[in-house]
Amino acid sequence: MEWTIEAGLKYTKKHEWAKAEGDTVTVGISDYAQDKLGSIVFVEFPDADTEVKAGESVAVIESVKAVADTYSPVMGTIVEVNEALLDQPELLNEDPYGEGWMVKIQLAPGAGLSGLMDEKEYEAFIIKEEEA
Amino acid sequence: MIEPTKTPFYEKHLKHKGKMVDYSGWNLPVQFAGIIDEVLRVRRQAGLFDVSHMGEVMVRGPGALAFLQRVLTNDIAALRDNRIMYSPVCYPDGGTVDDILVYRYDGENYLMVVNAGNTRKDYDWFRENLTGDVTLENLSPQTAQLALQGPESLAILKAVTEAPVEGLKYYHFLPQARVAGVDCLVSRTGYTGEDGFELYCPEGEALKLWEGLWEAGEPRGLAPVGLGARDILRLEACLPLYGHELSPELSPLEAGLDRFVSFTKETAFIGREALLQRKAAGLRKKLAGIEMLERGIPREGYTIKAGEGEIGWVSSGTFSPTLNKNVALAFLDPREARVDREVSVVIRTREYPAKVVKIPFYRRG
């Protein structure tokens, strides 16, 4: 596998990762996603306190050649965005699971990470996408 | 679904980890090491581009010049042997069929180099408008083309040829030069704003040419470059791209290519009357440069506003690695397009501040 998949995270079919700590979920994009986008040069976030449903956009990422939305894996309220990415969007390429995290979302009551893939399932998913 | 055509360099692209895409029916690399790195490599050292998708059409016969004078807007009578001219091709209504290069071997033999996606359309257009004793031959299928671009290009080329490439001037060509053991047409042309050469050779010899250039070039910093960087390089230098700055709806006048449109040549070219009328009526839009003042990348189709009013749209936009700025070419209302004018670009739902700037964005020093 030429892309790293961090263990212990949950993954979406749109290549976001999510990590829950208490009722807050940190969201970012996978190494596979950053590699496919290429050099990332711009990130745009909605305002903090924006309420989102699962599948709604929580950020727009622009690479040199493409524009891509990052979608929320969960329902909740955006409580923090990674402002470091506004000045250093390249952190998304360099460290997608660490300093390149994107937003923190406070889970709506009853919301959770069920239905997302674990690292093994995500690996199988990528392999399948690459074959398609 | 039709499979995209592979060029003779396909295996080389894979070996250098090119990300392959379907471009105008051709399977070509969009990037290798990374678009930003590739742009800077061409500006500082040299890049090797597979441009075999470009179309080549040979025009032969005693009527060649008269034919070209009619279908091309530029004045081909002024072109001398072994020199090249850039010219738009227009429809009767002034819209653009394509923009091409014409190579003059002699008064009865010319080579037209046309855009990949337009090759078939152009060939049909030229056939439809054929006059006099002229034959057309589409050489595209058997011709491979490489572009060697960047300040190190001359040193690299000199290492693999005895032909007088050093004395070759901009927009001049050598009809036959032996490069790395392969007979090529070599021209001092390119689509990057840097010094460089374009080399045409028979498809069967193409790999040998690539290998010779690579061997001489790698120690001099040569890198393979994909379509992504090629588009940025041409945009930084403000070279038009068909489908963006030129189209059936956009004439060469709106694209600011007036100096390639000769209203004074003896033959009335196709589209002349319509272009004169557009000129007399006053152009409603004109190509201008835009630079973002804060963040945000202007992309094709985005609206440009001045105050509350819409004044135009982006035809091509990018992050410019050379200038470290976000820039765009845009068609603006000419009354609003004065340099330094503050405007805004609508990116998704927000307006981002920008200003009108002089073009080209980049000119080699």
Side-chain angles (χ1 to χ4, degrees):
Chain A
M1 190 83 182
E2 61 185 287
W3 302 281
T4 60
I5 297 174
E6 185 126 314
L9 303 180
K10 295 289 189 179
Y11 294 87
T12 72
K13 289 181 176 175
K14 304 272 193 187
H15 307 286
E16 290 93 7
W17 57 261
K19 181 185 180 184
E21 284 158 306
D23 65 351
T24 306
V25 175
T26 305
V27 178
I29 61 167
S30 71
D31 185 44
Y32 177 82
Q34 71 76 21
D35 182 56
K36 289 288 160 188
L37 283 165
S39 308
I40 293 166
V41 289
F42 182 56
V43 178
E44 188 183 66
F45 294 113
D47 301 328
D49 296 331
T50 301
E51 290 184 13
V52 289
K53 294 192 183 107
E56 281 184 351
S57 175
V58 289
V60 179
I61 299 173
E62 295 208 26
S63 67
V64 176
K65 278 288 118 189
V67 184
D69 277 292
T70 302
Y71 300 101
S72 178
V74 295
M75 183 157 114
T77 307
I78 297 174
V79 289
E80 196 181 340
V81 301
N82 185 359
E83 290 187 359
L85 295 177
L86 299 176
D87 292 322
Q88 292 173 275
E90 65 274 14
L91 290 174
L92 272 168
N93 292 118
E94 291 162 5
D95 191 10
Y97 299 117
E99 286 190 67
W101 68 273
M102 299 191 70
V103 296
K104 293 190 191 219
I105 296 171
Q106 186 163 30
L107 287 169
L113 298 183
S114 60
L116 301 184
M117 294 178 274
D118 64 22
E119 68 259 24
K120 285 268 175 333
E121 291 165 322
Y122 183 56
E123 181 172 352
F125 178 73
I126 289 183
I127 290 168
K128 222 170 142 192
E129 279 226 326
E130 281 297 294
E131 283 167 357
Chain B
M1 174 126 178
I2 302 163
E3 282 284 303
T5 311
K6 292 183 172 82
T7 76
F9 309 109
Y10 178 74
E11 296 299 331
K12 295 288 178 195
H13 301 325
L14 293 189
K15 196 178 151 223
H16 288 270
K17 299 195 164 32
K19 290 188 181 174
M20 307 302 287
V21 295
D22 179 356
Y23 178 79
S24 297
W26 293 84
N27 200 221
L28 287 166
V30 65
Q31 73 165 68
F32 292 92
I35 291 176
I36 294 175
D37 289 349
E38 291 164 41
V39 168
L40 297 176
R41 187 68 76 106
V42 173
R43 294 277 179 243
R44 292 167 186 166
Q45 289 161 302
L48 189 59
F49 303 72
D50 176 3
V51 282
S52 303
H53 56 301
M54 300 300 284
E56 293 86 11
V57 179
M58 199 66 204
V59 185
R60 296 189 180 93
L65 177 61
F67 162 72
L68 292 172
Q69 286 290 63
R70 199 172 127 64
V71 293
L72 306 181
T73 62
N74 209 339
D75 188 2
I76 308 303
L79 187 61
R80 289 195 248 154
D81 290 0
N82 300 336
R83 294 200 189 176
I84 303 155
M85 219 178 230
Y86 169 83
S87 180
V89 184
C90 282
Y91 289 111
D93 70 359
T96 313
V97 180
D98 200 3
D99 61 331
I100 73 169
L101 291 182
V102 190
Y103 289 64
R104 175 176 155 132
Y105 288 91
D106 57 54
E108 297 191 6
N109 290 282
Y110 295 84
L111 175 71
M112 298 193 284
V113 179
V114 306
N115 281 304
N118 290 339
T119 308
R120 191 69 237 174
K121 178 184 84 172
D122 288 3
Y123 190 66
D124 290 345
W125 178 253
F126 294 136
R127 286 196 65 88
E128 232 174 87
N129 290 285
L130 211 55
T131 50
D133 192 358
V134 179
T135 58
L136 295 180
E137 189 186 355
N138 186 358
L139 301 180
S140 313
Q142 63 263 35
T143 308
Q145 191 190 344
L146 287 173
L148 174 65
Q149 301 279 299
E152 290 296 319
S153 300
L154 177 61
I156 294 167
L157 191 57
K158 271 168 68 179
V160 286
T161 187
E162 314 239 301
V165 289
E166 183 149 23
L168 195 62
K169 291 187 186 137
Y170 191 52
Y171 270 62
H172 286 223
F173 72 102
L174 301 171
Q176 205 170 34
R178 206 156 173 83
V179 180
V182 178
D183 284 326
C184 305
L185 182 163
V186 178
S187 62
R188 199 146 197 176
T189 47
Y191 196 45
T192 61
E194 291 306 319
D195 184 22
F197 299 87
E198 291 177 302
L199 301 102
Y200 302 75
C201 77
E203 201 186 24
E205 308 242 31
L207 269 184
K208 201 167 134 190
L209 177 64
W210 196 99
E211 279 160 3
L213 290 170
W214 183 252
E215 208 173 294
E218 205 186 357
R220 293 176 171 88
L222 184 68
V225 181
L227 293 170
R230 179 171 159 87
D231 187 40
I232 293 178
L233 288 158
R234 72 91 195 166
L235 181 47
E236 289 179 339
C238 292
L239 301 168
L241 174 60
Y242 190 85
H244 294 252
E245 285 73 43
L246 292 167
S247 72
E249 288 76 41
L250 293 166
S251 86
L253 301 183
E254 279 113 22
L257 299 172
D258 310 56
R259 68 185 187 282
F260 306 105
V261 179
S262 172
F263 291 112
T264 54
K265 67 177 176 180
E266 276 183 33
T267 315
F269 63 85
I270 297 173
R272 182 176 183 272
E273 284 311 307
L275 290 182
L276 279 174
Q277 275 168 25
R278 283 194 199 207
K279 223 175 138 125
L283 297 177
R284 274 176 295 191
K285 49 187 175 279
K286 183 104 191 181
L287 199 65
I290 294 285
E291 182 184 309
M292 303 304 290
L293 295 174
E294 292 171 14
R295 274 195 288 265
I297 301 179
R299 303 214 185 239
E300 187 188 353
Y302 288 1
T303 297
I304 297 182
K305 293 170 88 173
E308 286 304 297
E310 288 187 14
I311 61 162
W313 81 92
V314 172
S315 58
S316 299
T318 188
F319 165 68
S320 159
T322 309
L323 307 168
N324 199 25
K325 288 173 181 169
N326 292 317
V327 297
L329 287 173
F331 283 98
L332 301 183
D333 181 334
R335 294 165 302 182
E336 307 280 353
R338 65 169 196 280
V339 169
D340 286 336
R341 169 88 198 248
E342 294 213 1
V343 297
S344 61
V345 179
V346 183
I347 303 181
R348 293 174 288 277
T349 54
R350 295 184 200 173
E351 290 177 21
Y352 289 78
K355 66 173 181 183
V356 179
V357 295
K358 269 193 220 150
I359 49 178
F361 304 115
Y362 171 81
R363 207 190 284 273
R364 105 175 98 112

